[in-house]
Amino acid sequence: MNTLYKRQFALMAGVLLVAFALLGSAFAALSYQYIIQDKRETLERNASYVAAFTSSYLSSAGGAGIQEPAYQLYISSLANISGSTVILAENDGEIVYASSGRSHGPNSLLSGTVPGEVMDLISQDGKFAGLSSLGGLLSDKCYVSAVPILQSSYITGLTYRRGVVLVASDTTVLAGMWQDLAIIFLLSAAVVLLLAAAASSVTSLWQTKPLKDMADTVRRFGRGELEARVEGYEERKDEVGELAGAFNTMADSLAKSEAQRTEFIANVSHELKTPMTTIAGFADGILDGTIPKEKAPEALATISSETRRLSRLVRRMLDLSRLQSSENVLAQERFDISEVLLRVLVSLEGKITSRGLDVETHLPDGPVMVWGNPDAITQVCYNLLDNAIKFAAADSVLSLTIQIKGEKVHVSIANLGETIPPEELGQIFDRFHKTDRSRSVDREGVGLGLYIVKTIINNHREAINVTSEDGLTTFTFTLTVA
């Protein structure tokens, strides 16, 4: 299983190894260049010094000067101090003197000859510098610097080459330094990788434990344990805490939806059962003679009323299903909300007159253009106004108000009647919610009108609220100014 820990550790280890490799390579290259440059400059300086000293010594001591003990002691001391090998050779490459600051003696060099290619480079370039074993004269490859011994003729005044000086130094110090660097690098890399493994273990556990807890909670939730919640991470202020909070919010919403679904099914069953029981009872009574023939018309009227009630309930449920469908997209356009409200008012004139109600309108002069779906908003106005008429006190006043506030239009429909208790205001838009009072008075209602209103307004991304104080109940919804 490709776990989060494995991926995180592989990534961290890879980054550390690449970083160490780059740093180690850069440090090795820089140290190599620095040491080689320093070694070359030192050897060239020593070779030039020996050449100048030898030229001066030969000029004052004659041809046998380099064989004198004082000269050889001086050169030997210089070789020992610098830890290098000093070689003096004739122009043809034959070695005439050698002194080494290393453990082996120079005697093996006295019978040797400097390779011709080295002598040629000295002749061409005036010096030689590089790694060489001098054709096997030296046991290992060493860094060699060679310069000519120049002298001036007393007779002609011309400068000529009397011989060459070669100063060689082995590279064991550099090799040892690189070996030490490699050991330090490997040890450091191993320690850092161990620390990275420990840190990855701790951080991965800290990150994966809540994920595992959430996965377990999701599985429990999927098995129907709707009360399952992610707990213990409320105080975390990072993405894990945010994810846990988001899951709990989603779980609360789903649990609430499930409770509403169960309640909806129960309410539908109740609303369907009541008229069906009434219809069946009266129909059976007519058929078996329990209801006398002279009372049959009243029973049939009740059956007709309950049948229409069932029809209204089914229509409302179909409307609700259409409004809540994910495929339902309300096509919005510009329209005059004042015209819509007045048109609905005219359509309900008969009901208003039958209850002896007066209507007060507070509408702006001229059209009030808003964005929305005209048919859906017409249904909103119809349901709200019809509801206000039903529960208004006889011979009271209905109030219709439209106000423009900034980018929003506020439409209010108010009536005078019984005050809705505060504990019911929060439930008034729920499906099948009807107070005991309305169940006895409103036999035609099915308890879906205000829920449909709320659904339509929510689909428009607008707001609706209700207030009820001292008998004045007001429903207000908003639309966006076009």
Side-chain angles (χ1 to χ4, degrees):
M1 181 178 179
N2 191 15
T3 62
L4 182 63
Y5 168 74
K6 291 181 180 178
R7 291 197 298 269
Q8 182 174 350
F9 178 73
L11 177 62
M12 185 177 295
V15 171
L16 289 175
L17 287 176
V18 170
F20 267 98
L22 291 175
L23 289 174
S25 300
F27 183 75
L30 289 175
S31 62
Y32 175 81
Q33 292 296 327
Y34 174 79
I35 292 176
I36 290 297
Q37 180 71 18
D38 182 69
K39 179 68 70 175
R40 183 177 63 184
E41 291 177 354
T42 300
L43 292 181
E44 288 179 356
R45 184 169 58 252
N46 290 343
S48 298
Y49 182 79
V50 172
F53 177 77
T54 302
S55 176
S56 176
Y57 199 87
L58 290 175
S59 298
S60 62
I66 62 173
Q67 302 299 330
E68 293 186 3
Y71 173 82
Q72 293 183 1
L73 179 61
Y74 183 83
I75 297 301
S76 177
S77 298
L78 180 62
N80 288 326
I81 292 173
S82 63
S84 58
T85 299
V86 179
I87 301 174
L88 275 70
E90 298 287 354
N91 288 331
D92 59 0
E94 181 182 357
I95 296 176
V96 296
Y97 176 76
S99 178
S100 176
R102 295 181 297 175
S103 58
H104 61 78
N107 296 329
S108 60
L109 301 175
L110 296 178
S111 60
T113 303
V114 178
E117 59 270 17
V118 175
M119 299 301 294
D120 292 339
L121 287 173
I122 296 174
S123 300
Q124 294 173 9
D125 301 334
K127 63 179 181 178
F128 170 81
L131 287 173
S132 175
S133 64
L134 296 180
L137 293 176
L138 302 175
S139 58
D140 299 312
K141 273 194 173 184
C142 298
Y143 198 89
V144 179
S145 179
V147 295
I149 301 173
L150 302 178
Q151 278 195 306
S152 297
S153 174
Y154 288 108
I155 300 175
T156 62
L158 298 176
T159 301
Y160 63 96
R161 191 177 75 182
R162 180 68 180 274
V164 296
V165 173
L166 299 94
V167 179
S169 178
D170 59 25
T171 58
T172 55
V173 175
L174 184 59
M177 186 205 70
W178 286 341
Q179 183 178 3
D180 294 341
L181 179 63
I183 294 173
I184 293 173
F185 171 76
L186 292 176
L187 289 176
S188 300
V191 171
V192 172
L193 285 177
L194 289 176
L195 294 175
S200 295
S201 299
V202 174
T203 56
S204 296
L205 179 63
W206 190 68
Q207 292 175 355
T208 56
K209 185 179 182 302
L211 297 180
K212 291 180 179 178
D213 292 344
M214 291 179 197
D216 180 65
T217 304
V218 169
R219 284 190 288 268
R220 290 169 52 203
F221 196 86
R223 290 194 297 265
E225 299 180 31
L226 301 183
E227 73 283 356
R229 297 293 184 272
V230 179
E231 299 177 349
Y233 303 101
E234 296 81 359
E235 301 301 323
R236 289 187 60 161
K237 303 302 181 182
D238 55 4
E239 290 81 357
V240 171
E242 184 178 355
L243 179 60
F247 172 80
N248 289 339
T249 301
M250 179 198 70
D252 291 339
S253 178
L254 291 176
K256 182 178 179 181
S257 296
E258 179 63 19
Q260 290 177 344
R261 184 185 69 85
T262 303
E263 181 185 2
F264 177 75
I265 293 174
N267 290 333
V268 168
S269 300
H270 174 77
E271 294 293 335
L272 291 175
K273 181 176 68 176
T274 301
M276 290 175 68
T277 301
T278 302
I279 292 171
F282 279 98
D284 291 341
I286 293 174
L287 291 174
D288 60 19
T290 303
I291 299 177
K293 290 184 178 181
E294 61 273 14
K295 292 186 177 180
E298 297 179 8
L300 290 174
T302 301
I303 291 174
S304 176
S305 174
E306 293 300 313
T307 302
R308 285 194 297 272
R309 184 181 175 196
L310 274 176
S311 178
R312 287 194 301 273
L313 176 61
V314 171
R315 283 201 309 273
R316 286 299 180 93
M317 290 176 62
L318 290 175
D319 290 341
L320 184 59
S321 176
R322 176 179 56 82
L323 289 172
Q324 292 181 326
S325 172
S326 60
E327 298 179 357
N328 178 58
V329 178
L330 294 176
Q332 297 194 10
E333 58 185 77
R334 296 175 74 252
F335 66 94
D336 183 4
I337 184 61
S338 296
E339 179 184 353
V340 169
L341 188 60
L342 292 176
R343 189 165 61 242
V344 172
L345 181 63
V346 171
S347 69
L348 293 172
E349 184 177 1
K351 290 186 176 182
I352 295 173
T353 302
S354 65
R355 293 186 57 79
L357 302 176
D358 292 330
V359 178
E360 292 183 355
T361 59
H362 306 278
L363 308 180
D365 295 333
V368 180
M369 305 306 294
V370 296
W371 283 107
N373 184 278
D375 294 336
I377 298 303
T378 298
Q379 186 174 3
V380 168
C381 294
Y382 185 93
N383 288 1
L384 291 177
L385 192 54
D386 184 60
N387 193 70
I389 294 171
K390 289 177 186 178
F391 300 109
D395 302 323
S396 62
V397 177
L398 292 178
S399 177
L400 308 181
T401 305
I402 294 178
Q403 293 180 307
I404 302 175
K405 299 180 180 180
E407 297 296 323
K408 295 293 182 180
V409 172
H410 294 251
V411 181
S412 300
I413 298 176
N415 71 326
L416 288 172
E418 294 186 19
T419 301
I420 301 175
E423 62 272 13
E424 290 189 9
L425 286 177
Q427 305 173 5
I428 199 167
F429 292 107
D430 291 347
R431 289 174 291 194
F432 295 108
H433 176 75
K434 296 197 296 183
T435 63
D436 292 338
R437 171 182 58 84
S438 67
R439 286 191 183 275
S440 60
V441 176
D442 181 22
R443 291 292 299 166
E444 296 184 356
V446 295
L448 289 175
L450 292 181
Y451 183 76
I452 290 175
V453 167
K454 179 72 170 178
T455 302
I456 292 174
I457 294 300
N458 287 343
N459 288 344
H460 280 75
R461 302 293 189 271
E462 299 291 349
I464 184 170
N465 61 75
V466 57
T467 60
S468 185
E469 294 180 357
D470 300 327
L472 177 65
T473 301
T474 305
F475 287 86
T476 303
F477 65 90
T478 64
L479 292 171
T480 302
V481 175

